[in-house]
Amino acid sequence: MMKISITTEVGARFWRPEETLAKLAQAGFTGADCSLQVYPVGSAFWEEGGWEQQADALRDAAKREGIAIVQTHAPFPSSADDPIQDERIFKTIEKAVCAAGRMGSRYIVVHPLIPMTLDYTAHREEIFKINRTFFAHLAPVAQKAGVQIAIENMFRYDRAAEAFAPTFCSGAQDLLELLDALDGPFAACLDTGHANVNGTKPGDMARALGERLQVLHIHDNGGFEDDHTAPFLGTIDWEDFCAALREIGYAGAISLETLRFEAALPEDAYPQGLVLLRALAGHLAARCG
């Protein structure tokens, strides 16, 4: 049976991380996406060893509450041209991969690198090589930790043109070529909202990724902004998306990343909001199996 999951980012604003897992379980979620990206590169959490104790505490809390940590999210890597040369950045991502393993998470989502000084159209091959090298360096760390790295589809907003523009891994082709070039524990993460603002139907992208698709970030928007709102509140064709997951035999978690929707809720109504989100995710899961 599919796990039904949600990120811990907003819940952790109200409760301690371990308590957040208990609250998610009470709302009916059977999985959690632990949001390690809330601890930025260079923070004391990573520099002073707090990540190890936190990972162990979350692992124990998940077992106690009967909820699975199905995936995690790494801190955002720098947009520098070659962050491998910045040891602090790379070491932080390594620690996040190890933390996912300590938690018992099978997957950790890591953003591809989007060098801001390189135009995608003109420098696509160079950007590809930077990413291939970056992820290849992470492969042995992930293998040792027993974790698969899920590379996420991205988007870029061109402020000059006032429109969304192609960037590395905004389409399935870049993701597939990168995965084909890498040896080791790698998969694709499909962010439905990112696909929608890029003008791509999430169902079509799921079909293109096929069996490489193993992780989801599910949220909705109107196609004009990365709103991270609840499913059915935007323009995504959810029936087509669920049909696509059935066609490719997707067997991973239905995992919500409805950050702005959750953040807009008052604290005293947040538990009821989680129950609603669990119902919406369950509706999708019933149509995906």
Side-chain angles (χ1 to χ4, degrees):
M1 181 177 295
M2 282 183 169
K3 297 292 186 184
I4 299 178
S5 168
I6 192 169
T7 62
T8 61
E9 179 173 341
V10 178
R13 299 179 190 179
F14 304 130
W15 309 302
R16 291 181 300 105
E18 302 95 309
E19 187 180 4
T20 299
L21 294 181
K23 296 293 186 180
L24 297 185
Q26 290 170 15
F29 287 95
T30 53
D33 177 348
C34 287
S35 305
L36 296 174
Q37 77 274 17
V38 300
Y39 305 106
V41 171
S43 64
F45 181 81
W46 299 113
E47 298 297 317
E48 298 175 8
W51 65 272
E52 295 172 303
Q53 292 79 13
Q54 186 66 79
D56 292 346
L58 287 170
R59 177 197 62 214
D60 295 342
K63 290 181 180 178
R64 184 169 60 249
E65 301 299 335
I67 189 170
I69 299 177
V70 295
Q71 60 201 59
T72 62
H73 199 308
F76 304 131
S78 168
S79 59
D81 287 349
D82 192 356
I84 293 173
Q85 301 303 317
D86 187 328
E87 184 176 0
R88 187 176 65 170
I89 294 173
F90 191 75
K91 289 296 183 183
T92 297
I93 304 298
E94 284 189 320
K95 290 173 183 177
V97 172
C98 293
R102 290 181 78 122
M103 289 181 203
S105 174
R106 184 177 179 184
Y107 299 100
I108 182 166
V109 175
V110 180
H111 283 188
L113 307 177
I114 311 294
M116 301 307 292
T117 60
L118 297 178
D119 177 75
Y120 171 69
T121 302
H123 297 278
R124 191 264 183 191
E125 290 306 315
E126 184 178 350
I127 296 170
F128 181 90
K129 290 177 182 177
I130 290 171
N131 275 275
R132 182 177 61 193
T133 302
F134 174 72
F135 284 107
H137 275 70
L138 285 174
V141 181
Q143 288 173 327
K144 185 175 181 179
V147 174
Q148 291 197 57
I149 294 173
I151 305 173
E152 183 175 353
N153 61 306
M154 300 304 294
F155 71 94
R156 181 177 73 87
Y157 186 76
D158 186 332
R159 295 189 182 279
E162 296 186 344
F164 290 94
T167 192
F168 188 67
C169 287
S170 59
Q173 181 178 349
D174 283 348
L175 261 175
L176 290 170
E177 288 187 20
L178 181 58
L179 291 171
D180 287 343
L182 293 167
D183 292 323
F186 296 97
C189 168
L190 171 53
D191 184 299
T192 59
H194 292 180
N196 200 47
V197 294
N198 282 318
T200 301
K201 291 180 65 174
D204 289 344
M205 193 162 190
R207 293 180 181 95
L209 293 171
E211 64 182 10
R212 310 304 286 271
L213 175 57
Q214 297 183 35
V215 176
L216 296 173
H217 284 168
I218 292 178
H219 53 101
D220 211 337
N221 60 57
F224 302 105
E225 188 175 353
D226 188 30
D227 292 325
H228 283 268
T229 193
F232 307 103
L233 296 184
T235 59
I236 289 176
D237 184 341
W238 292 105
E239 287 299 324
D240 180 69
F241 178 68
C242 291
L245 294 188
R246 292 196 304 271
E247 290 166 24
I248 67 172
Y250 177 78
I254 297 297
S255 191
L256 300 179
E257 197 181 47
T258 47
L259 304 175
R260 290 190 186 179
F261 178 86
E262 296 171 59
L265 299 173
E267 182 176 353
D268 60 354
Y270 186 66
Q272 289 77 20
L274 287 176
V275 173
L276 170 61
L277 289 168
R278 166 59 180 83
L280 295 174
H283 177 88
L284 295 175
R287 284 153 180 77
C288 292

